[in-house]
Amino acid sequence: MRVDEVFKQAASQGTAPISFEMFPPKGELTLDTAREVAGNLCKLSPSFVSVTCSAGGSGNGAATAPIAHMITSEFDTPSVAHLTCVGRSHADIAAKIDEYRTAGVENILALRGDLPAGATEDDKPASDYAYARDLIPELVDAGFCVGAAAYPEGHIACEDLNLSVEHLKQKQDAGASFFVTQLFFDNECFYRFRELADKAGITVPITAGIMPFMGKSQISRMVFMCGASLPSPVIKILAKYENDPESLQAAGVDYAARQLCDLKEHGADGLHLYTMNRPAIAATIMERLG
C-alpha cells in the first residue's frame, strides 16, 4: 500500500498514522534477525515501517530492499525503503530503482544521506545529486510514492530555519507526498516548525519522529549528529539518573511516550517512532498511546 494513501485514509477517519523505523542488522547480514525484529514490530499494527540504509555505499544498504519486501509480503504491513543519493551517479540510482522495483517496494524515503566518515561539506564525494530534492523527481517518475526528511530545528548544515523550510517546500514541489521529521526532544520546536511550514505552503503530511533516549552517550551523539536541542526536563533526567542506567532508560521511554501523546493531542499529521530495533520499547509506547 502506498503511504500517501495511508495518510489519506487516516485523515478521513480523524486519526494520525503511527509508524516505526528499523534498521538492517549491521555487519554480516542476518535476515533471520531482521525477520524477528520486523515480525515483533508488525504485531503492534503500525501504519507502516520504514527501513534505513547506509549512506555513501557503505554499511548495510544492501539489506534495505529485502527487509522492506519482507515486511510487506510476510507481515502484511506497508513498508518504506530509505534511499540515499550522496556519492551516487544517475546509473547508481537507476540500478537501485530496478532493485527496489524487483523487491516490490512501493514507497521510498529520499534522503541525501550522511557524508562518509571523515568527509566534510567541502570535500564530499562526487555525485549527480546535490540534495534529496534532486533525487525525488526521478523516483516519482519511476512510479514510487516518495517521502522526504524534515528538520524541526533546521538541518545541522543550515543555520537559518526559514531556509530549511524553503528547502522543504522545494522537496514538496519536486514530488514528495509526505515528510518524516528528524528526532527532537522539545515539542515546541515542532509546533513552531509546523507553523512555518503552513505559512510556506506545505500541504503534505508531516509525521513527527521521536526517539527514546537510552543513555548519555546516545543522546550526546544524537545532539551532535542532528543538532537537536536538549530542553531542561531532559537535562534534569540525565542528571538524576547519571549512575542508574536502568532507571535512565525507563525515564527515556517515558519521556518519549509523553512527547508522542502530546503530539497526538495537538493534531500531528502522524507519529513516527525510531525503535532502535527494540520491539519491547515500541510495545510500551504503543500501550501508552492507547
Side-chain angles (χ1 to χ4, degrees):
M1 184 176 186
R2 289 172 60 98
V3 167
D4 51 4
E5 291 300 323
V6 170
F7 279 104
K8 286 177 184 176
Q9 286 187 12
S12 69
Q13 297 165 0
T15 61
I18 302 173
S19 53
F20 298 152
E21 178 179 288
M22 65 172 286
F23 52 82
K26 287 182 167 60
E28 186 178 345
L29 172 63
T30 55
L31 275 177
D32 285 340
T33 301
R35 181 173 285 107
E36 182 179 0
V37 171
N40 286 326
L41 289 175
C42 290
K43 286 177 183 176
L44 302 172
S45 301
S47 299
F48 61 89
V49 177
S50 71
V51 185
T52 68
C53 67
S54 294
S58 63
N60 50 6
T64 302
I67 293 173
H69 171 73
M70 176 200 304
I71 289 167
T72 300
S73 63
E74 296 185 25
F75 304 117
D76 196 27
T77 300
S79 63
V80 178
H82 290 209
L83 180 59
T84 59
C85 61
V86 64
R88 295 191 190 273
S89 66
H90 287 298
D92 293 332
I93 292 300
K96 295 301 289 186
I97 286 173
D98 287 342
E99 176 192 344
Y100 281 27
R101 187 181 280 135
T102 300
V105 170
E106 289 186 274
N107 308 289
I108 293 179
L109 194 71
L111 305 161
R112 187 194 76 164
D114 299 327
L115 298 178
T120 68
E121 292 290 338
D122 294 329
D123 65 355
K124 58 190 174 187
S127 174
D128 286 338
Y129 307 87
Y131 303 104
R133 67 171 181 260
D134 303 321
L135 173 63
I136 292 169
E138 202 165 332
L139 299 177
V140 172
D141 289 345
F144 296 102
C145 170
V146 183
Y151 303 90
E153 298 180 74
H155 192 281
I156 193 165
C158 180
E159 295 182 6
D160 186 343
L161 181 57
N162 288 297
L163 185 57
S164 284
V165 174
E166 286 182 31
H167 294 161
L168 195 71
K169 180 63 162 58
Q170 291 168 7
K171 292 178 187 179
Q172 177 180 276
D173 292 345
S177 56
F178 66 96
F179 292 114
V180 179
T181 78
Q182 194 173 65
L183 64 92
F184 56 91
F185 301 106
D186 185 348
N187 284 7
E188 291 303 318
C189 293
F190 175 78
Y191 300 138
R192 288 193 293 269
F193 173 76
R194 186 170 61 177
E195 288 181 11
L196 290 173
D198 287 342
K199 291 177 182 176
I202 305 297
T203 57
V204 303
I206 302 175
T207 192
I210 298 298
M211 178 183 284
F213 54 86
M214 300 286 100
K216 274 192 171 182
S217 60
Q218 178 222 21
I219 204 169
S220 177
R221 186 169 64 252
M222 291 302 100
V223 166
F224 282 99
M225 281 182 60
C226 307
S229 60
L230 285 185
S232 176
V234 173
I235 295 172
K236 290 177 180 178
I237 289 170
L238 293 172
K240 181 177 181 180
Y241 299 115
E242 182 176 7
N243 300 311
D244 187 350
E246 188 174 328
S247 294
L248 177 57
Q249 177 172 316
V253 172
D254 174 71
Y255 187 89
R258 286 188 284 116
Q259 270 192 280
L260 287 162
C261 288
D262 181 75
L263 288 161
K264 181 180 179 181
E265 290 173 8
H266 284 79
D269 295 327
L271 307 174
H272 190 69
L273 178 65
Y274 294 101
T275 70
M276 300 167 291
N277 286 12
R278 299 190 186 190
I281 289 175
T284 297
I285 289 177
M286 288 293 278
E287 185 178 355
R288 290 278 295 276
L289 283 168

